[in-house]
Amino acid sequence: MVKGAAFGILLALSTWAHAQKTIVGKILDEKQKPLKGITVLLLWQKDSSLQKSSITNGEGIFSVMINDDKQYLLQLSGVGLQTKYIVLKDQKELGDIILKQQVNEIAGVTVVASKPFLEQRADKLVVNVENSATAAGATALEILQKVPGVIVSNEKISLAGRNNVGILIDGKSTQYTDINQVLASMGASNIEKIEVMVNPGARYDAQGGSLINIILKKNANLGTNGTIGLAVSQGIYEKGQYGVDRNYYRVIPSMSINHRKGKWNVYGSGNFFHRNFFDYSEFDRAISPFKFSQTNYSPANRNTINYRAGVDFYANKKNTFGFLIRGFDFQGITETVNNTKQNNANSGALISTFRTDIYNDSRRNNRAANINWKHIFDTSEHFLNIDADYAQFDITNRGDITNTLANGNSYINNQDINNPVKFLVLKADYGKPIGKTRLLEAGSKFSFATIDNYLVFIGNGVYDSKRSTNFRYRENINAAYINLKQQFGERWELITGLRTEQTVAKGTNSGTEVLNRDYWQMFPSIFLTRKLNKHFATGIQYVRRVNRPGYQQQNPFIEFLDSLTYTQGNPLLRPETSDQYKFSLNYDNQPFFAISYNKTNDVIFDNAPRQQGNLTFTTPENLAKFENLVFELNFPINIGKKISGFGGNQFIWNHYATEYLGTNYDRQKWNWQAYWQISYKPRTDWNIEVSGFYTTNFLNEFITIRELGNLNMAVQKSFMEKKLRVTLNINDMFFTQRSDGSLQYQNIDVAFRQRNESRNIRLAISYSFGNQQLKAARNRSTGSDAESSRVKTN
């Protein structure tokens, strides 16, 4: 019996040895020198799926074992070298293989192949910011200013004149409750590119208008590798100007690491962000028969830790399992000094003065976990993705408001906010090719949100029950979608889809029901592109989108901003819906000309103003119909062989029409916006870059914002085959990124001027170690998508 078993083992080994063979080759450069560290990928010829990988040794030699009964393809690649493919048939010895350099020499000038800054695709614009020198040392929020058409003012994001912009990170609407605050506290060293979806398709949550997807860099696939970086910044201000009384700076150390061995891939990244900054503002309010003049100086400190870690287990060729944890810890302290003068509006005589000191301690933290499974059926496009996501947030905010009159008398108000938030999301996506020209995608999603809002207001030591709230909100969204991508010959491509969503929302304030809704909505989308010739292509888009009220927008509590201003939520807000259209003409896959038209009903004005005696307060309201028309023209900037870049213009028309406070509000305005980025590369290891934007006066709800812009400059030098990069840049060189404006409606007359810490000089150093050629860490489009970004706490 033992002999029989031994014979069986020998027979199996013999059969296995016969079924497999080893392929050996040697890779050389054009000077016949061996190339070490060249990546060798063994791909299955049927669908190009990765089977095995190898790296050449010091003599340029590699070997890889294959099965005789399968058809394979070898992919050979290295930094700065042309990628080469070899079809494997009956060879065993491939002999010497030459890899050529990825360069072209024109008139003695070496031109290195690189990604264009802008790439226009059927349903999105891709902005490749990874190698942008002016991005080094910036925050993620500052990076968004490099996106054509994006304006960031007072940490508020607008795109082509529209405020309703959703932010995604690696395809998900982020796990963060206050995305603007997080982006302002996140180093941008790990951002690879940004995708702008003016009209997102059915596979994305219908929540939000346009979407901006921030794609993070991925680490290599073999061994251990990663990136470490440090960015420091110093504000450039004269003390005494705009209230400045100290130095303003930031420090951002960051690190990411990836380890891949066998079937396991482990990865992690994190950064610590320390920043102090200021906001300075002036307000002139005409409240007949008085005029109030205010100055506000708000120095602030922020400390944030962002982290992400996960593991992927490649069980076999068809199944991959993953686990991901992520989160952040945020602490911020702001100390505001507000000085107010009250004058007679006619004579100008001084009536009174008073001072308001506001101490605000804000803390936010997030803990989130995701488990996922991906199954590949026969090709990479035939798949099933399943995600389960749980996220928990704790938000606390303590504000102490001290009002001091000219006679020295003072009174103190305190407001404490406690806002726990929990999400549970289940999500499934399925894709299947139908023939050679069709791709069908379908999916479903079930999300459950629990948001508790507690505010305790104490006025001069006495609990105020009218201003204190206990608001509890529960929401369930059930969604399903189907998406079809169809090729018609070589020129036409159609992407069409339909998404349906059910929203169930309930809210109580101190035990009393103030909200109870249950409704269904349908969201169609269509994208049609046609190649006109080798260079030009046209595209037509239509989508329907929804913008649900933010969780805090529905919270009825009152929050004082200063002695004369407060905000109050509105639990009766309805979602706003929009129809969005776009026609585009692209040149070499880059945006050239486009026309967009968007119409929104039940527009949520985030800051609808009201007057209450000497107090001005704002509250979110469903008010207007909003129309937005955009003409866009982009063009390349190429001067000689070493200067390249792009420029663009947008002509934007905004129109609001509503009845508010018994009066018809019908306003429209055109504005012009320009943006540019120009790069000068005297050598392959040097890069000098200039970028910026400018916009004329524009209309935002009831407010007219005056012209603003910025100009940035950066110098970057790379070392050690571009593994080490050192960048020095100046942001907002002329301190022109400021917000001045006015609000005039009925008896409300306010003019304001705002400045903040936007001008600074930054030094950034980053070093990449390990094999940087193959991508491994998967981008997980996890379940907690549109829900999280609706929790706004600023």
Side-chain angles (χ1 to χ4, degrees), residues 353-372:
T353 63
F354 54 92
R355 167 175 168 152
T356 303
D357 294 273
I358 304 174
Y359 177 87
N360 190 281
D361 185 349
S362 178
R363 299 170 189 263
R364 306 181 180 100
N365 66 65
N366 161 233
R367 306 288 180 268
N370 167 266
I371 56 174
N372 54 80

Side-chain angles (χ1 to χ4, degrees), residues 520-553:
W520 286 86
Q521 292 175 295
M522 305 288 283
F523 304 98
S525 62
I526 184 170
F527 304 87
L528 180 64
T529 59
R530 183 180 188 274
K531 292 182 180 179
L532 301 177
N533 54 39
K534 181 179 178 181
H535 297 289
F536 284 97
T538 60
I540 299 174
Q541 303 176 9
Y542 165 73
V543 300
R544 184 171 177 82
R545 303 283 291 170
V546 65
N547 182 39
R548 298 184 183 88
Y551 298 128
Q552 267 63 33
Q553 287 179 315

Side-chain angles (χ1 to χ4, degrees), residues 247-308:
N247 294 322
Y248 289 97
Y249 63 93
R250 73 180 74 168
V251 179
I252 316 173
S254 62
M255 182 175 182
S256 64
I257 191 168
N258 191 93
H259 178 74
R260 172 75 184 270
K261 186 176 182 180
K263 295 184 176 182
W264 294 90
N265 187 74
V266 182
Y267 58 92
S269 63
N271 73 271
F272 172 74
F273 190 104
H274 171 75
R275 180 188 182 189
N276 69 342
F277 61 96
F278 74 88
D279 285 304
Y280 175 82
S281 57
E282 298 175 353
F283 292 90
D284 294 322
R285 308 171 196 263
I287 305 174
S288 183
F290 308 114
K291 179 181 179 181
F292 294 88
S293 300
Q294 289 183 295
T295 61
N296 291 275
Y297 175 57
S298 301
N301 287 283
R302 298 286 187 268
N303 289 308
T304 307
I305 298 174
N306 294 285
Y307 59 87
R308 181 174 182 265

Side-chain angles (χ1 to χ4, degrees), residues 238-471:
E238 180 181 348
K239 289 187 178 180
Q241 188 180 28
Y242 305 117
V244 173
D245 60 353
R246 68 196 72 181
N247 294 322
Y248 289 97
Y249 63 93
R250 73 180 74 168
V251 179
I252 316 173
S254 62
M255 182 175 182
S256 64
I257 191 168
N258 191 93
H259 178 74
R260 172 75 184 270
K261 186 176 182 180
K263 295 184 176 182
W264 294 90
N265 187 74
V266 182
Y267 58 92
S269 63
N271 73 271
F272 172 74
F273 190 104
H274 171 75
R275 180 188 182 189
N276 69 342
F277 61 96
F278 74 88
D279 285 304
Y280 175 82
S281 57
E282 298 175 353
F283 292 90
D284 294 322
R285 308 171 196 263
I287 305 174
S288 183
F290 308 114
K291 179 181 179 181
F292 294 88
S293 300
Q294 289 183 295
T295 61
N296 291 275
Y297 175 57
S298 301
N301 287 283
R302 298 286 187 268
N303 289 308
T304 307
I305 298 174
N306 294 285
Y307 59 87
R308 181 174 182 265
V311 59
D312 293 324
F313 175 60
Y314 300 88
N316 51 44
K317 297 176 184 178
K318 294 182 177 294
N319 295 285
T320 303
F321 300 90
F323 175 71
L324 171 68
I325 59 172
R326 60 192 186 271
F328 71 90
D329 287 283
F330 169 91
Q331 180 182 8
I333 294 178
T334 304
E335 298 177 274
T336 301
V337 177
N338 170 277
N339 289 293
T340 303
K341 294 181 180 179
Q342 182 182 7
N343 297 80
N344 184 285
N346 296 319
S347 66
L350 180 65
I351 298 174
S352 67
T353 63
F354 54 92
R355 167 175 168 152
T356 303
D357 294 273
I358 304 174
Y359 177 87
N360 190 281
D361 185 349
S362 178
R363 299 170 189 263
R364 306 181 180 100
N365 66 65
N366 161 233
R367 306 288 180 268
N370 167 266
I371 56 174
N372 54 80
W373 168 48
K374 183 172 184 178
H375 177 74
I376 302 294
F377 293 93
D378 44 16
T379 68
S380 59
E381 292 185 323
H382 189 191
F383 65 89
L384 174 65
N385 251 353
I386 295 179
D387 281 83
D389 214 21
Y390 177 77
Q392 180 171 326
F393 310 85
D394 291 302
I395 304 168
T396 60
N397 191 84
R398 177 175 175 81
D400 298 325
I401 306 170
T402 303
N403 293 299
T404 305
L405 304 179
N407 59 13
N409 292 334
S410 64
Y411 57 94
I412 301 175
N413 293 329
N414 310 102
Q415 55 186 19
D416 286 298
I417 298 173
N418 183 19
N419 182 202
V421 180
K422 297 177 182 179
F423 295 120
L424 174 63
V425 183
L426 305 175
K427 182 171 173 276
D429 298 281
Y430 174 77
K432 179 178 174 55
I434 303 175
K436 296 182 179 180
T437 61
R438 246 182 240 109
L439 176 63
L440 178 68
E441 293 179 318
S444 60
K445 177 183 172 183
F446 308 92
S447 68
F448 306 88
T450 301
I451 300 96
D452 294 326
N453 301 270
Y454 307 102
L455 182 142
V456 175
F457 190 93
I458 298 175
N460 226 18
V462 179
Y463 173 78
D464 191 333
S465 60
K466 293 183 179 179
R467 295 181 179 175
S468 299
T469 62
N470 180 2
F471 182 66

